[in-house]
Amino acid sequence: MSAAGTMNNTATLHRFHSTVNSGDPEVISKAIDELVAPDLLFHAPVPMGLTGAEALKRVWEVLLKAFPDIHVAVEETISEGDRVVARNTVTGTHRGEYQGVPPTGKTVTYSEIFIFRFAGGRIAEVRGVVDVLSLLRQLGALPS
């Protein structure tokens, strides 16, 4: 892949993160339609019964209900070929039910790393590692 193609993929990923930080479910859904392949391969814990871009939309729906002010800070990106890796810090205030935990009002901060594979200028595959244990500990759902 050319350097320009790699730069375009990184720019697309930054557009995606900027959109999810809007906190607007409709804006996020439209961005997923535009930036993500409909048959997205999504290798992360997702709600059962959904695949592709629809699964990603559902993930953001759940996150926004639980953490309406959720913010993804991209700490660094690494690009190579058709892949972009993003190391992120996520913050938000727990205002809605999450993983069976009722709202606590607590502010949470956790880390995640995602690898995005691009095809035809769109996100075609996502692999992620999210520090869910840290998140659940901060919500009081697990012992410290």
Side-chain angles (χ1 to χ4, degrees), residues 56-130:
L56 189 57
K57 287 180 186 181
R58 180 71 180 123
V59 165
W60 278 100
E61 199 176 287
V62 167
L63 287 172
L64 285 169
K65 283 182 181 167
F67 307 97
D69 62 346
I70 194 166
H71 184 267
V72 179
V74 179
E75 304 294 346
E76 67 182 309
T77 57
I78 302 167
S79 303
E80 184 176 314
D82 62 353
R83 287 174 171 73
V84 179
V85 178
R87 182 179 62 82
N88 307 322
T89 300
V90 182
T91 55
T93 309
H94 186 216
R95 303 249 181 249
E97 184 272 332
Y98 180 74
Q99 304 258 336
V101 180
T104 62
K106 293 179 179 178
T107 300
V108 297
T109 302
Y110 62 93
S111 300
E112 61 184 21
I113 296 174
F114 281 93
I115 302 169
F116 299 86
R117 182 179 58 80
F118 287 78
R122 295 172 94 179
I123 299 168
E125 186 172 9
V126 177
R127 291 187 184 276
V129 177
V130 178

Side-chain angles (χ1 to χ4, degrees), residues 4-22 27-28 31-32 34-36 60 71-79 83-89 112 114 116 118 121-123:
T6 300
M7 286 176 55
N8 288 342
N9 292 343
T10 303
T12 297
L13 185 58
H14 284 299
R15 278 183 55 213
F16 176 74
H17 282 121
S18 176
T19 301
V20 298
N21 285 334
S22 74
V27 170
I28 293 168
I32 289 171
E34 178 189 347
L35 303 175
V36 175
W60 278 100
H71 184 267
V72 179
V74 179
E75 304 294 346
E76 67 182 309
T77 57
I78 302 167
S79 303
R83 287 174 171 73
V84 179
V85 178
R87 182 179 62 82
N88 307 322
T89 300
E112 61 184 21
F114 281 93
F116 299 86
F118 287 78
R122 295 172 94 179
I123 299 168

